[in-house]
Amino acid sequence: GHNFRPEYLEIGRLRDSLPDIQTVAFTATADAATRADIVDKLFDGSPRTFVHGFDRPNISLALRPKKNARRQILAFVADHAGESGIVYCSSRKRTEDLARTLQDAGYRAVPYHAGMDKAARDANQDLFQREDGIIVVATVAFGMGIDKPDVRYVFHANLPGNMEAYYQELGRAGRDGGPADAFMLYGLGDIRQRRMFIQDDAAAGGDDGHKRREHKRLDALIAYCETPQCRRRALLSYFGEDADPCGNCDNCLDPPVMEDGT
């Protein structure tokens, strides 16, 4: 997005300088508001738009409230011993700490974040691409250009930034079409941290409209975390698709017990 790469906004001006050049914009995980923003910022008139399906039925979706994160992560990884996986964290320090925790428990785990030396970062990425059973504990810096087909799980140790980020990150699992797991821990501390990120981004130059949109996106992710309905149905609904209950998420396989709160 242009809040991450402000130069993207200049592409519209570039088109003015080269009016006869065809321009095509691609995105993997844009909701309706983001697509409208791309059209507004980069194109004159109404460009032809093609939207393909978002469903990845081979990925099982599950979430749990955060209680003892370290114990919950170790229990999950124990059920996936010998498999390649990605564990996403919200901070560089957290990636380092969690990678050491997994190493101490006997797993081949490596950290990855933008603050690392480039040679070490590249070595860890190459190891993950080349060998089986490697766990990469990473910030969102890990993922661009990653196309390892047999990633069997993506574990979010912290709440992602929004639904688009969540979908993009979990989509790195199961690209070979085989069964894969997407598991997320979430808690009030994560929600508070994400609210602060939005406010800090706005203070650094973001406008009020951008701030409101980001809070709404976060609200949608929180609603997804708390829904008693089919996870896949809720996820695809966010991207404008209808779906039947999937039978392959935690709420379908183990429906939550509902109580009358009145």
Side-chain angles (χ1 to χ4, degrees):
H2 51 78
N3 58 322
F4 177 61
R5 291 270 190 265
E7 294 82 3
Y8 288 167
L9 291 175
E10 301 300 312
I11 296 173
R13 292 174 57 189
L14 181 63
R15 292 185 67 252
D16 292 338
S17 302
L18 302 169
D20 298 323
I21 301 300
Q22 184 180 32
T23 305
V24 186
F26 295 93
T27 177
T29 54
D31 61 10
T34 304
R35 296 197 297 269
D37 196 36
I38 293 170
V39 170
D40 179 58
K41 298 295 194 299
L42 302 188
F43 295 96
D44 297 323
S46 301
R48 296 172 66 193
T49 303
F50 304 86
V51 182
H52 288 264
F54 286 84
D55 195 12
R56 295 284 302 282
N58 62 310
I59 302 178
S60 177
L61 306 173
L63 289 80
R64 291 289 184 275
K66 189 178 292 185
K67 294 179 180 177
N68 184 319
R70 181 178 178 276
R71 186 178 300 164
Q72 288 171 292
I73 293 167
L74 288 173
F76 178 89
V77 171
D79 289 337
H80 294 77
E83 298 178 349
S84 299
I86 304 171
V87 178
Y88 279 112
C89 300
S90 62
S91 71
R92 297 173 181 182
K93 183 179 186 302
R94 180 83 168 125
T95 65
E96 299 275 1
D97 292 345
L98 188 50
R100 279 193 296 270
T101 294
L102 291 169
Q103 291 165 5
D104 292 343
Y107 298 102
R108 299 184 68 194
V110 294
Y112 187 103
H113 58 76
M116 294 173 59
D117 175 75
K118 185 178 185 302
R121 199 168 62 235
D122 290 347
N124 288 350
Q125 179 172 317
D126 290 344
L127 180 69
F128 178 72
Q129 295 274 42
R130 189 175 62 249
E131 298 191 24
D132 295 330
I134 306 297
I135 305 170
V136 173
V137 186
T139 62
V140 293
F142 184 77
M144 299 298 286
I146 300 300
D147 194 24
K148 184 178 174 68
D150 60 343
V151 176
R152 295 273 65 90
Y153 62 87
V154 169
F155 189 108
H156 282 91
N158 299 101
L159 196 69
N162 51 49
M163 289 285 276
E164 292 149 300
Y166 171 65
Y167 177 84
Q168 187 177 57
E169 290 154 19
L170 72 84
R172 288 168 186 139
R175 291 187 174 182
D176 57 1
D181 287 299
F183 196 100
M184 187 207 300
L185 296 179
Y186 67 98
L188 291 176
D190 291 327
I191 296 171
R192 184 167 55 250
Q193 183 183 56
R194 286 296 174 189
R195 297 282 187 213
M196 290 173 57
F197 284 165
I198 294 171
Q199 292 301 123
D200 290 346
D201 183 54
D207 58 40
D208 288 342
H210 170 72
K211 182 169 62 175
R212 283 193 297 271
R213 287 192 297 273
E214 290 306 307
H215 278 298
K216 285 187 67 175
R217 287 192 171 104
L218 180 58
D219 290 341
L221 179 61
I222 295 168
Y224 170 77
C225 292
E226 297 179 345
T227 183
Q229 307 301 321
C230 168
R231 300 280 186 198
R232 191 175 313 281
R233 195 172 192 176
L235 180 61
L236 294 178
S237 175
Y238 178 81
F239 290 105
E241 294 187 21
D242 294 324
D244 294 326
C246 69
N248 193 30
C249 71
D250 54 350
N251 284 348
C252 283
L253 296 171
D254 185 20
V257 176
M258 305 297 289
E259 296 182 7
D260 184 352
T262 61

